[in-house]
């Protein structure tokens, strides 16, 4: 699966636009504030990274269901809830491409 934030893919031709796809994930691990602010920031970063990966997996699965082989125009939104849970939403257009 080709993933890109651009609206086209170099050396490929988009032959069919299949629809908008989304992947959303939320990490519900509690992030406790300790004595080390650097450890706390590292924990948040790790939480966002894991959650983002889950959201991208969901995005790709939704595109596969539409028989897409690429997703263009990807936008990523990352949000920390008031309880410091990481939430990631990834949206793009599922397409069929050929070389």
């Amino acid at each position: 699966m080709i993933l890109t934030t651009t609206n086209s893919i170099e050396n490929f031709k988009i032959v069919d636009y299949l629809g908008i796809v989304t992947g959303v994930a939320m990490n519900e691990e509690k992030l406790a504030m300790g004595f080390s602010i650097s450890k706390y920031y590292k924990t948040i970063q790790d939480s966002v990274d894991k959650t983002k990966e889950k959201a991208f997996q969901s995005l790709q699965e939704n595109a596969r269901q539409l028989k897409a082989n690429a997703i263009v125009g990807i936008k990523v939104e990352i949000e920390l809830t008031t309880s410091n849970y990481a939430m990631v939403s990834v949206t793009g257009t599922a397409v069929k491409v050929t070389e």
Side-chain angles (χ1 to χ4, degrees):
M1 176 85 52
I2 300 170
L3 306 174
T4 182
T5 58
T6 62
N7 293 321
S8 62
I9 305 167
E10 193 171 326
N11 300 323
F12 286 85
K13 180 181 179 187
I14 296 174
V15 293
D16 199 6
Y17 289 86
L18 304 170
I20 295 171
V21 287
T22 305
V24 178
M26 182 173 220
N27 187 353
E28 296 181 3
E29 293 177 21
K30 192 69 171 171
L31 302 176
M33 181 68 161
F35 293 107
S36 171
I37 195 74
S38 63
K39 283 184 183 178
Y40 180 67
Y41 287 150
K42 176 75 171 122
T43 302
I44 289 176
Q45 180 181 357
D46 290 345
S47 173
V48 168
D49 288 344
K50 288 177 191 173
T51 307
K52 185 173 69 170
E53 182 60 34
K54 288 179 193 174
F56 268 97
Q57 293 300 323
S58 175
L59 177 79
Q60 290 179 72
E61 181 55 38
N62 291 333
R64 278 189 205 96
Q65 290 176 6
L66 296 175
K67 307 291 189 240
N69 62 355
I71 305 170
V72 297
I74 294 175
K75 304 280 188 271
V76 180
E77 292 185 30
I78 300 171
E79 188 176 322
L80 283 178
T81 67
T82 54
S83 301
N84 287 334
Y85 294 130
M87 186 175 98
V88 177
S89 174
V90 186
T91 304
T93 302
V95 296
K96 179 76 77 177
V97 297
T98 60
E99 286 189 65

